[in-house]
Amino acid sequence: MTTDSPVSVTREGDLAWVTIDNPPVNATSTAVRAGLARAVAEVQGARVAILTCAGKTFVAGGDMSEFDAPPVEPHLPDVVQMIEDSGTPFVAVMQGNVLGGGFEIALGCAWRIAAKGTRFGLPEVNVGLIPGAGGTQRAPRLIGMEAAIDMAASGMMLDADALLGLGGLDLVAEGDLTAAARGFAAELPVRPGKVSEREAAPISAETLEAKRAAVAKRARGQASPLLNIDALQWAYLPFSDGQPKERKLHLELRQSAESRALRHAFFAERDVARPKAAEGAVPRDLKRIAVVGGGLMGAGIAVASLGGGLEVVLIERDAQAAACAADRVAGLIDGAVKRGKLSEAKAAEQKARFTATADYADAADVDLAVEAVFEDLEVKRAVFRQLADVVSPDTILGTNTSYIDPSEIFDGIPNQSRCLGLHFFSPAHVMKLLEIVALPDTSTDVLATGFAFGKRLRKVSVLAGICDGFIGNRMLAEYRRVAEYMLADGALPQEVDAAAREIGFPMGPFELQDLTGLQIAWANRKRQASTRDPALRYVTISDQICEADRLGQRSGKGWYDYVEGDRNPRPSAEVEAVIVGYSKVQGITRRSFDREEIVARILSVLANEGARIVEEGIAETEAAVDMVQIHGYAFPRWRGGPMQAAEELGWDEVAAVMARLAEESPGSWVLSERVRNAGGV
């Protein structure tokens, strides 16, 4: 055995210990596969081979950096087959996470034991793939088709106890795992038949269709979840037929746009967590924070912070409002308990770290104070003046503004280096995106602390510069604008929304406005009216809808009509009359838009604006734009974000679409340099 191999073999009497040591997650790289192939040969003659992994986890997947290159021998399915066919039987001894290729290796072993709490999964679907080393063929044979569908098609993870109950493990060990492995090896049960030679238990047609329908609903256009179900059905064929079919499809999917997009998203999440602007800075330690404002946003921030282990004091305007805020926070925590997301003990511990008050002085010792009040400049300024009077001169101050320039909010506050934007998305305890906005004077350690805070709250944090709407809401404004231009020119809300759902959004722009309420965007349009470029085409249909007191679901009507107690949108004759009337007044001859054209316009406008945001330095990278859209605006992850989608669509096509839009609405669209170059302008 070469000394630099990540796989080592040692002998202990008639036991052979095979150890994978490939930090950080023991991924099945080429070197690991080669090492395992050599190890199978080296253990021959031993009574049993015990397969373990160094560190905190068993093999937790493949090496995705190799996925864009041609596969290199030895291939993982061949290695797994070597293990299964080995004259010396293997025991997989597992801890941490056993994912993808790691679970496939375990399925090739004769026996499987795991530490309590170990988690198992076939998460290839999350990067647009199906398992490629027998996972879809062995899993149904070992644990049944229903559980295999949940793992492979839905990405569900099972803990050791659940897998034991399904027959997937021979032992769940509490305590020393090495000692448990020795004890198991000392009294080996009779070697079972190979998993690949077992028969998969049948599943009823009704159950299969129900599973397929549920998976399709969640997939929202993503192909790989349903392809995983298809591949799992090959487990009813002889293994020698099903396994090559699985491998072939796996390799084909590696080259698919969907897999490229999902892998892009996987790496982008890691890239945006390390912004260049905070490089080398050491974050401050946070223990206690203040949240000002106890509405839905403030309560959500408080709950997210409690979940991150922080002490939280929530400040409201008076004692009655503070009591209501406390009830709101308690309700969110209790809701998590009811949904099985939080234990009673954890809930009690979180509540013990929470205080609601009407006295700013109770925030005197906080390390960070976050404002979450109305989107009004003077209200926010007043909050920070009161905070500055009681907190330390170095206490970090964060504003949750969605649109307003944070520099204006913090104007006059001493020590501007401690100030930054912390733009959460509602509901803040659920939504993963956190836009962190750097002011001109924000120090690097404060910026780094913002990112550490986001990580603690399990957010995907993205650095944003200052402009109206930052990254996300600026792009949202363009998305809504192109949608309303299409209304004015001939489309109807339900047609635009249907096209957006085809892209993979859970709902279209008009359905979304009805859900969140039209009043905030209406107020923002009023705020912008005095500075709006007169050359910009401004469609007033939204304003007319709001003036008609159609403000969304909460008012019972918006872009759609709603029946009391039913949130399903129904096309509105009143809204259609407003739209058609607007077109008539403007002298517009309405035309039809097919779905493909609507899709292309939405994607192109988002990509163009994203490119402008990067070119202006508002976002550091295109990956940052994509993460904002995926985690804050439900852009389909399987498309990778609008910038990745533009790569797949082709920037020349984006340029052609933007040229048509610019021709139809002169002076209304600013083309990015990326688009101009692609279009030869």
Side-chain angles (χ1 to χ4, degrees):
M1 179 72 65
T2 57
T3 56
D4 60 349
S5 172
V7 181
S8 62
V9 177
T10 58
R11 288 295 185 109
E12 185 180 289
D14 61 357
L15 302 183
W17 292 81
V18 180
T19 303
I20 301 172
D21 188 0
N22 185 34
V25 296
N26 295 310
T28 55
S29 64
T30 300
V32 167
R33 299 193 305 273
L36 283 173
R38 288 192 298 267
V40 171
E42 288 192 30
V43 302
Q44 297 310 305
R47 182 171 58 87
V48 64
I50 301 175
L51 177 60
T52 66
C53 285
K56 296 181 179 179
T57 187
F58 196 72
V59 175
D63 186 345
M64 282 199 292
S65 66
E66 298 181 354
F67 283 12
D68 288 324
V72 177
E73 292 185 340
H75 306 309
L76 187 59
D78 298 330
V79 173
V80 174
Q81 196 63 52
M82 291 177 196
I83 291 171
E84 190 175 50
D85 293 341
S86 172
T88 294
F90 274 72
V91 182
V93 179
M94 300 167 285
Q95 79 282 1
N97 291 326
V98 184
L99 305 177
F103 190 46
E104 289 174 305
I105 289 170
L107 291 172
C109 293
W111 301 280
R112 288 156 292 279
I113 69 175
K116 193 172 183 64
T118 303
R119 300 196 307 163
F120 301 82
L122 291 170
E124 287 86 352
V125 66
N126 295 329
V127 286
L129 302 174
I130 69 167
T136 64
Q137 303 308 291
R138 288 187 175 92
R141 288 173 159 92
L142 183 68
I143 63 174
M145 184 60 72
E146 288 191 57
I149 289 174
D150 290 339
M151 293 183 80
S154 300
M156 180 184 295
M157 295 180 70
L158 299 177
D159 65 20
D161 288 332
L163 192 62
L164 178 69
L166 291 166
L169 292 177
D170 298 280
L171 175 70
V172 173
E174 298 194 48
D176 189 283
L177 187 58
T178 301
R182 284 197 178 93
F184 185 84
E187 300 182 13
L188 279 179
V190 176
R191 183 172 183 174
K194 300 174 183 178
V195 174
S196 64
E197 294 178 353
R198 302 180 192 182
E199 290 190 2
I203 183 174
S204 72
E206 294 78 11
T207 301
L208 179 60
E209 282 310 304
K211 287 280 187 184
R212 189 181 292 276
V215 167
K217 183 177 181 181
R218 287 193 301 271
R220 297 205 310 265
Q222 184 180 341
S224 53
L226 293 172
L227 290 173
N228 268 276
I229 294 180
D230 292 341
L232 286 162
Q233 304 317 298
W234 300 333
Y236 295 120
L237 301 173
F239 186 81
S240 58
D241 292 338
Q243 197 275 331
K245 288 168 69 71
E246 176 203 73
R247 182 65 177 172
K248 182 175 183 290
L249 181 55
H250 169 87
L251 293 176
E252 288 173 356
L253 290 176
R254 280 194 189 185
Q255 308 308 315
S256 68
E258 181 178 300
S259 184
R260 285 195 296 270
L262 288 164
R263 297 198 313 263
H264 162 76
F266 176 87
F267 289 115
E269 284 177 351
R270 285 146 183 79
D271 290 343
V272 298
R274 301 183 295 270
K276 293 178 183 176
E279 198 168 26
V282 178
R284 301 184 194 177
D285 185 29
L286 298 180
K287 294 181 180 177
R288 180 174 166 84
I289 74 162
V291 178
V292 182
L296 291 175
M297 178 61 81
I301 296 171
V303 169
S305 301
L306 292 168
L310 295 163
E311 295 178 30
V312 178
V313 54
L314 190 151
I315 303 170
E316 261 291 3
R317 62 184 180 277
D318 54 43
Q320 183 179 356
C324 289
D327 289 342
R328 192 171 289 116
V329 168
L332 292 175
I333 294 172
D334 291 341
V337 173
K338 289 178 182 176
R339 294 191 305 276
K341 302 291 186 182
L342 198 64
S343 69
E344 292 279 4
K346 283 281 188 183
E349 190 264 334
Q350 287 187 12
K351 290 177 181 178
R353 286 189 272 109
F354 175 74
T355 305
T357 180
D359 189 349
Y360 275 80
D362 290 333
D365 60 346
V366 301
D367 305 303
L368 164 69
V370 182
E371 159 276 311
V373 298
F374 299 115
E375 190 73 351
D376 180 278
L377 176 60
E378 292 308 319
V379 173
K380 291 178 184 293
R381 280 178 169 173
V383 164
F384 285 113
R385 284 196 295 268
Q386 293 179 82
L387 281 170
D389 285 342
V390 298
V391 301
S392 161
D394 294 323
T395 296
I396 298 173
L397 303 177
T399 173
N400 183 52
T401 181
S402 302
Y403 290 97
I404 303 172
D405 184 340
S407 298
E408 296 183 21
I409 293 172
F410 289 114
D411 185 39
I413 297 298
N415 186 11
Q416 296 273 308
S417 68
R418 61 175 167 163
C419 302
L420 78 169
L422 293 172
H423 180 208
F424 288 83
F425 287 70
S426 186
H429 61 296
V430 175
M431 295 292 286
K432 290 191 69 174
L433 180 65
L434 174 61
E435 282 184 321
I436 297 180
V437 185
L439 279 68
D441 295 327
T442 302
S443 70
T444 55
D445 72 298
V446 167
L447 199 57
T449 305
F451 277 85
F453 177 55
K455 183 177 181 180
R456 194 162 179 175
L457 272 55
R458 299 179 181 174
K459 303 294 184 187
V460 174
S461 301
V462 178
L463 179 65
I466 296 175
C467 66
D468 198 77
F470 313 121
I471 299 173
N473 281 338
R474 172 172 161 176
M475 293 181 73
L476 179 63
E478 297 300 276
Y479 174 35
R480 288 177 170 174
R481 190 156 68 95
V482 72
E484 290 196 34
Y485 283 10
M486 286 188 281
L487 292 192
D489 293 339
L492 293 173
Q494 58 269 27
E495 294 169 341
V496 176
D497 286 343
R501 289 194 301 274
E502 185 168 300
I503 291 172
F505 286 102
M507 59 183 68
F510 301 111
E511 294 167 316
L512 180 61
Q513 286 180 58
D514 275 3
L515 177 65
T516 59
L518 279 69
Q519 60 273 20
I520 294 176
W522 188 26
N524 192 52
R525 291 195 299 275
K526 292 176 182 177
R527 180 177 64 83
Q528 295 172 326
S530 61
T531 58
R532 187 177 295 122
D533 184 349
L536 180 74
R537 181 187 183 189
Y538 182 70
V539 173
T540 63
I541 296 172
S542 265
D543 297 340
Q544 292 177 44
I545 296 296
C546 292
E547 287 162 2
D549 202 29
R550 302 184 65 99
L551 299 176
Q553 287 185 13
R554 291 180 189 175
S555 65
K557 55 185 179 178
W559 288 103
Y560 295 92
D561 291 334
Y562 298 89
V563 176
E564 188 173 352
D566 183 359
R567 293 189 174 188
N568 289 317
R570 293 168 171 79
S572 169
E574 181 183 348
V575 168
E576 184 171 345
V578 170
I579 293 169
V580 172
Y582 175 86
S583 301
K584 185 176 182 179
V585 168
Q586 297 295 318
I588 298 169
T589 301
R590 294 178 64 80
R591 70 174 181 87
S592 62
F593 287 81
D594 63 33
R595 193 165 294 183
E596 184 179 351
E597 182 178 4
I598 297 173
V599 166
R601 288 183 175 220
I602 290 172
L603 291 176
S604 297
V605 163
L606 287 172
N608 177 67
E609 195 63 19
R612 290 185 63 212
I613 285 169
V614 174
E615 289 161 11
E616 293 171 17
I618 302 301
E620 283 191 340
T621 62
E622 291 185 355
V625 171
D626 284 340
M627 290 303 95
V628 167
Q629 286 296 307
I630 287 172
H631 292 292
Y633 298 85
F635 192 97
R637 186 181 180 90
W638 61 268
R639 288 189 186 270
M643 310 311 287
Q644 176 67 21
E647 291 288 341
E648 296 295 341
L649 182 64
W651 281 97
D652 55 341
E653 177 60 25
V654 172
V657 172
M658 292 306 303
R660 288 195 294 274
L661 289 170
E663 184 180 355
E664 292 170 3
S665 305
S668 298
W669 298 103
V670 178
L671 303 188
S672 65
E673 183 179 342
R674 182 80 180 266
V675 165
R676 291 199 306 273
N677 290 340
V681 178

